[in-house]
Amino acid sequence: MSAHSPAPAEAGARRADRGAFSGRTSFIFAAIGSAVGLGNIWRFPAVAYENGGGAFILPYLVALLTAGIPLLFLDYAIGHRWRGSAPAAWRRFRRWTEFIGWWQVLIALVIALYYALILAWATNYMIFSLDQRWGDDPNAFFGQYTQALSGTDVHISFDVVPAVLVSMVVVWIATIVVMALGVQKGISASSVVFIPLLVIMFVILVIRALFLPGAIDGLEALFRPHWAALLSPGVWVAAYGQIFFSLSVAFGIMLTYSSYLKKRTDLTGSGLVVGFANSGFEILCGIGVFSALGFMAQAQGVQVSEVVSSGIGLAFIAFPAIISEAPAGALIGVLFFGSLVLAGFTSLISIVEVVIAAIQDKFGLSRISSTLWVCVPLAVVSTALFSTTMGMPLLDVLDKWVNEYGIVAAALVSTIVVTYVVRGLPTLRDHLDHRGTFPIGRWWLVCVGLIAPVVLGVSLVSSTISLVTSPTTYSGYPGWFIVVFGWLMALALLVAGIVLSLLPWPATSNLFKDDSDGDPIAPEVVAGQGLEARADAATPHELRSPAGRV
Ligand code: PFF
């Protein structure tokens, strides 16, 4: 307990009961579990291929070092210093920035709703790959299996698809169990088991794929460098976009997770481990996926470029075709869909935790009650909306807008607010440096205050231009569907975030309590002021700004 702690009796009564990671390793596994997700497996390979192949490594690494890791540190610093869920931590950082926290919570809520659907499909496909139930037309099979409406036929529909319903229920039950077990025994323990298992499964998959005929052509297609691509701004925006998404920065996740870390922790060293582990796995995914695509191109007698796909098309149409053609296809199927399930599950729990932590802080609830209050309604709504024939188009639109106008916009607003409006970077820098492996120095300020907002702003503008000037609506859906579930939904998240930040916090909430160790919460930032170095400070939380000393 620090020198600033109140008397023990009083501290016991006022201590928040939020749960904690038992140590740095638990945190690192949970953070890698969140970062390693579908973005690695089904997004990175195609993004790299389309944006310069081997040459993409350069913008990708630059994006990792100048934006991914610096923004990860920003999330860590806010969550760790102010020891709360996104709304509580932002509010303690500076009262009026609480809306950013609620905005992140609502974004997380929407992602959780649809993410469970992808996991449900992957779970079913793991079973389907045992007998290759898709026969010789995986495309048609996926259509029959999901019974998804498409294009202009899309409408509000509650026609349930039973096979999807059953596995969505299974996914939600598993999620509720893990979340109810809490931060250490649920979130961390599942990542500690699932992440190594995922790596083992994926490595076996990669080795198997590398020995398929044509694999080398696939790798050649992925890694052949197109240096001229480096001159195209779009390639750089794609690299930053991939890094932001892949590292789960600005989702509120890393902020929430770091609030469960012990106060004496090396934040910057942990961030580097998470950042490089995620990118390492991402490159492994590129190798596995392109070896398999090279095999498929050879089997069909076409160029690799003709079989490249990403997202749902890659996982549920291309991979089933590969599984059917390859020797020992069932093994490849179980490994591939099993990997999707494991990677997706550890990401789903991280996104649900953002919401649970916020409700727990707001009402001062126990772990079990906050889990049930959040997860039961979430599971019911998610299953009711997404196990229907409109599930897939709804997922498609929500995902597009919530990423581009939710996460990217929230990241842009938060970097600008922190850097220029509140001028909080010096405090955050000194907090990170207190026990960090290395001093983050001035480059961090430039990355968070300049490079990140510029790139985020450019990508926001460029995606708006391409959406607005496109001759057809997104995926050919009816205009009203895009307006309601795309534009209005994204705007509603921001507006609702602002409204939620205006509601008072009940007296029982965690906002008015000490942290889980019984220590008081650090005061708000003082604009433009760093923290005074103090040799006797055991934790960065004890450091104060000169003008903000208590
Ligand atoms: N970093 C994750 C990924 O690469 O898939 C991004 C993510 C998506 C995290 C969805 C959490 C989530 F629910």
Side-chain angles (χ1 to χ4, degrees):
M1 219 185 276
S2 78
H4 303 278
S5 306
E10 188 198 352
R14 297 182 53 224
R15 178 185 295 210
D17 176 20
R18 308 182 61 246
F21 287 121
S22 65
R24 190 169 160 232
T25 313
S26 304
F27 165 76
I28 289 178
F29 270 105
I32 294 177
S34 172
V36 167
L38 302 177
N40 301 55
I41 301 179
W42 79 20
R43 196 171 183 277
F44 172 80
V47 171
Y49 171 78
E50 283 156 15
N51 290 283
F56 184 72
I57 285 296
L58 184 70
Y60 178 81
L61 282 179
V62 171
L64 175 67
L65 295 174
T66 60
I69 291 178
L71 286 193
L72 200 58
F73 290 168
L74 176 71
D75 278 4
Y76 284 178
I78 295 177
H80 189 246
R81 185 163 182 81
W82 286 286
R83 314 203 65 66
S85 58
W90 279 102
R91 184 184 169 112
R92 287 165 170 168
F93 165 76
R94 179 57 61 84
R95 165 73 183 89
W96 64 268
T97 64
E98 184 184 334
F99 78 96
I100 300 177
W102 287 112
W103 192 13
Q104 289 174 327
V105 168
L106 294 170
I107 291 171
L109 189 81
V110 172
I111 297 179
L113 286 173
Y114 68 73
Y115 212 69
L117 176 63
I118 305 174
L119 272 179
W121 288 340
T123 313
N124 273 352
Y125 265 69
M126 198 164 75
I127 300 164
F128 295 165
S129 46
L130 294 176
D131 60 358
Q132 287 147 33
R133 203 163 308 169
W134 42 79
D136 23 78
D137 193 350
N139 195 358
F141 178 85
F142 188 61
Q144 283 157 17
Y145 160 69
T146 58
Q147 296 177 34
L149 298 166
S150 63
T152 49
D153 291 340
V154 168
H155 57 267
I156 300 292
S157 149
F158 288 98
D159 294 339
V160 168
V161 185
V164 178
L165 176 90
V166 172
S167 43
M168 281 196 81
V169 170
V170 171
V171 167
W172 276 115
I173 291 177
T175 308
I176 294 176
V177 170
V178 169
M179 300 321 283
L181 285 170
V183 175
Q184 177 61 30
K185 293 206 187 105
I187 298 175
S188 172
S190 56
S191 298
V192 166
V193 175
F194 290 161
I195 292 302
L197 188 62
L198 167 67
V199 172
I200 294 171
M201 285 171 59
F202 214 86
V203 167
I204 301 175
L205 177 69
V206 168
I207 294 173
R208 178 72 201 91
L210 279 174
F211 285 99
L212 290 171
I216 299 303
D217 302 335
L219 293 180
E220 222 259 319
L222 173 61
F223 289 114
R224 190 188 313 127
H226 301 283
W227 297 109
L230 298 184
L231 298 174
S232 149
V235 167
W236 288 83
V237 172
Y240 279 88
Q242 176 61 25
I243 285 290
F244 284 132
F245 184 80
S246 183
L247 269 182
S248 308
V249 285
F251 282 68
I253 299 175
M254 295 298 168
L255 183 158
T256 308
Y257 276 8
S258 61
S259 76
Y260 300 132
L261 261 174
K262 292 206 162 74
K263 289 202 280 291
R264 297 174 67 140
T265 304
D266 165 12
L267 292 172
T268 47
S270 312
L272 287 188
V273 174
V274 173
F276 283 102
N278 179 62
S279 289
F281 188 74
E282 197 141 79
I283 290 170
L284 189 70
C285 291
I287 296 175
V289 167
F290 268 79
S291 304
L293 290 174
F295 162 73
M296 179 153 116
Q298 194 185 71
Q300 297 180 355
V302 296
Q303 294 292 314
V304 176
S305 60
E306 289 177 49
V307 295
V308 174
S309 57
S310 66
I312 294 172
L314 173 79
F316 299 106
I317 297 168
F319 254 88
I322 294 166
I323 292 163
S324 294
E325 304 238 19
L331 174 73
I332 296 185
V334 172
L335 292 173
F336 177 76
F337 289 111
S339 299
L340 277 187
V341 171
L342 294 180
F345 187 70
T346 46
S347 294
L348 176 65
I349 58 179
S350 72
I351 205 92
V352 174
E353 179 60 18
V354 174
V355 188
I356 294 184
I359 296 302
Q360 185 175 25
D361 276 353
K362 180 87 191 186
F363 299 103
L365 300 174
S366 69
R367 178 76 205 180
I368 304 269
S369 14
S370 51
T371 301
L372 295 178
W373 276 108
V374 169
C375 288
V376 173
L378 193 61
V380 170
V381 174
S382 161
T383 312
L385 287 177
F386 290 93
S387 65
T388 63
T389 54
M390 69 168 171
M392 177 144 81
L394 194 56
L395 176 157
D396 190 10
V397 173
L398 290 179
D399 184 55
K400 171 88 181 165
W401 266 264
V402 94
N403 282 311
E404 250 135 67
Y405 297 94
I407 291 164
V408 173
L412 177 65
V413 169
S414 46
T415 50
I416 291 176
V417 163
V418 171
T419 314
Y420 301 103
V421 189
V422 176
R423 296 196 290 131
L425 288 185
T427 295
L428 299 172
R429 176 201 55 206
D430 292 347
H431 183 96
L432 289 165
D433 275 347
H434 182 68
R435 278 205 167 258
T437 338
F438 59 96
I440 54 173
R442 205 170 286 164
W443 75 269
W444 184 70
L445 305 182
V446 174
C447 293
V448 175
L450 199 63
I451 300 180
V454 167
V455 181
L456 288 162
V458 168
S459 76
L460 205 60
V461 171
S462 76
S463 52
T464 308
I465 293 176
S466 75
L467 279 171
V468 173
T469 56
S470 155
T472 54
T473 56
Y474 177 71
S475 295
Y477 299 137
W480 66 267
F481 192 76
I482 302 281
V483 170
V484 173
F485 296 106
W487 298 110
L488 288 179
M489 180 276 306
L491 185 66
L493 299 184
L494 173 58
V495 174
I498 295 173
V499 171
L500 287 173
S501 74
L502 300 174
L503 301 180
W505 287 65
T508 50
S509 77
N510 287 346
L511 189 71
F512 307 112
K513 296 182 187 157
D514 291 336
D515 69 15
S516 303
D517 306 324
D519 291 332
I521 304 292
E524 270 194 354
V525 297
V526 177
Q529 297 269 356
L531 300 172
E532 259 179 346
R534 257 185 39 205
D536 62 326
T539 70
H541 304 79
E542 291 171 20
L543 304 178
R544 296 286 181 263
S545 314
R549 213 185 274 131
V550 280

